[in-house]
Amino acid sequence: MTYTVAPRQPGGLQTLEEMADFAVELDFGALELSAGNLGERSAEDFGAICRDRGLAVSCINGGANLVAEDDAVFQAGLQQALGYIEMANTLACPTIMIVPAPAVSMEDKPRALARMAEGLREVVAEAGPAGVTVTVEDFPNLLTPCCSIAELSELLALAPGLMLTYDNGNWIIGGDDPVEAVQAFAGRIANVHIKDWEPDPNQSRIRTADGRWLRGGLHGEGIIDHQAVFAALIEAGYDGWLAYEYEGPLDHVEATRRGMAYLRGVLDGLN
């Protein structure tokens, strides 16, 4: 499994070295990097931190506005996305994930999806010769053009070679079942994020298509059936990285210890 670098979470470790040491302590095999979390550090710094501890870099994710109607903004987003390919080569990282920008409105989503596909086709074309796989995830924002099985199916069809970072929890935001999503995209999944959700009593975090409010939950105590998700991934032949994500209000370090113990127990029961 891989640990997702998360310095902004409550109780989260603040330096890249601390996060890498914690990953080693919990027997993670890799780190997944959000490019924005490098701060003032360089990709070379991050690579050295990982190499010194025997950690791989499983995926680099970063934002890029590929939905903009304005050509200058679109081209800036495209150059940002292409930069992640260079970063991946620096870190010997096989996969990048493009974090989408939102559409202007729900009615604008079809245009945004077509525009995003246009940009992603260029990114995929550049990434292929570099040996880097380009992915998008089912993103937990209803305004993004990749928030449901239907939208991701269309986007992947419009951008041949594009792959999926499957996020087990985010399908719920768009109104889909996580197990059905595995089945829908078997063979197109190149990376996996594993989280849990719980009801948000403050109604302030993420709203689903059916009007519920959710926030990050502790794995095994939230609403997601992880055993069913893992079983579906195994049946689909997925054998890549599983990236641990905790985005809830509890202390991040303690929640990660507890969550990983639970997830490893689930996986052990399936093997």
Side-chain angles (χ1 to χ4, degrees), residues 12-189:
L13 301 167
Q14 296 304 302
T15 70
L16 297 176
E17 287 86 356
E18 288 176 323
M19 286 180 267
D21 288 339
F22 182 61
V24 171
E25 177 191 338
L26 267 64
D27 200 27
F28 285 100
L31 293 178
E32 178 167 324
L33 174 68
S34 292
N37 286 335
L38 278 176
E40 299 299 317
R41 307 291 291 272
S42 68
E44 289 80 5
D45 285 343
F46 186 71
I49 290 167
C50 291
R51 286 193 302 273
D52 289 347
R53 293 159 176 81
L55 293 168
V57 182
S58 59
C59 182
I60 297 166
N61 60 68
N65 188 345
L66 299 180
V67 307
E69 288 189 85
D70 182 274
D71 284 338
V73 176
F74 176 81
Q75 288 298 325
L78 181 59
Q79 292 306 309
Q80 190 170 17
L82 294 174
Y84 302 137
I85 300 172
E86 182 179 351
M87 188 182 295
N89 281 329
T90 298
L91 295 173
C93 174
T95 306
I96 63 173
M97 186 190 90
I98 305 301
V99 178
V104 174
S105 65
M106 295 298 286
E107 293 74 22
D108 182 53
K109 287 181 71 174
R111 181 211 59 81
L113 191 152
R115 184 68 151 161
M116 187 174 177
E118 176 188 343
L120 288 169
R121 286 194 293 269
E122 294 194 45
V123 179
V124 169
E126 292 290 332
V132 175
T133 298
V134 181
T135 72
V136 293
E137 75 168 343
D138 46 307
F139 198 72
N141 180 337
L142 293 174
L143 278 175
T144 58
C146 51
C147 191
S148 68
I149 290 176
E151 291 167 352
L152 264 300
S153 296
E154 183 175 356
L155 189 61
L156 267 62
L158 290 171
L162 179 67
M163 299 290 280
L164 176 68
T165 286
Y166 167 95
D167 187 299
N168 71 321
N170 291 352
W171 300 106
I172 295 171
I173 308 306
D176 290 317
D177 177 81
V179 171
E180 291 180 5
V182 174
Q183 297 162 348
F185 296 106
R188 298 295 296 272
I189 300 173

Side-chain angles (χ1 to χ4, degrees), residues 179-236:
V179 171
E180 291 180 5
V182 174
Q183 297 162 348
F185 296 106
R188 298 295 296 272
I189 300 173
N191 189 39
V192 169
H193 291 172
I194 300 296
K195 61 160 58 82
D196 213 332
W197 296 119
E198 65 183 18
D200 180 5
N202 302 316
Q203 297 188 354
S204 62
R205 292 287 292 140
I206 295 178
R207 194 170 190 178
T208 66
D210 60 7
R212 289 178 293 163
W213 286 90
L214 300 176
R215 68 182 183 186
L218 187 64
H219 296 72
E221 297 184 12
I223 66 173
I224 295 177
D225 185 343
H226 292 93
Q227 182 174 356
V229 168
F230 288 148
L233 287 167
I234 291 169
E235 184 175 354

